[in-house]
Amino acid sequence: MGITSNKEQVIYTAAMEANQKEVRKMVMNSYQDMLDGKGRDYKDFFSELESRYKSANV
């Protein structure tokens, strides 16, 4: 994908910045959830996930 004009580069850069802001917002929301004690223990999560796929035909 080649950017052919300055206008396209500005649009692309703006889209990337908007995406990065959204990702940062989601990370900070997740971090706040962790501080609030929400969520699941990672051992329980991965144990459940592993049990789903142990007998799966891959």
Side-chain angles (χ1 to χ4, degrees), residues 2-58:
I3 298 174
T4 59
S5 72
N6 191 33
K7 182 178 179 182
E8 288 177 338
Q9 186 174 8
V10 169
I11 292 170
Y12 178 77
T13 303
M16 289 296 292
E17 289 174 1
N19 185 44
Q20 288 177 353
K21 284 181 184 179
E22 186 63 29
V23 169
R24 288 184 189 113
K25 181 180 173 183
M26 290 187 302
V27 168
M28 292 308 294
N29 288 342
S30 295
Y31 182 71
Q32 188 60 48
D33 286 347
M34 284 180 4
L35 293 177
D36 293 342
K38 296 178 184 176
R40 297 171 56 187
D41 182 54
Y42 74 94
K43 291 179 185 177
D44 294 337
F45 174 80
F46 285 110
S47 177
E48 180 183 323
L49 190 63
E50 185 178 84
S51 70
R52 286 184 190 179
Y53 295 102
K54 273 191 175 182
S55 61
N57 293 328
V58 180

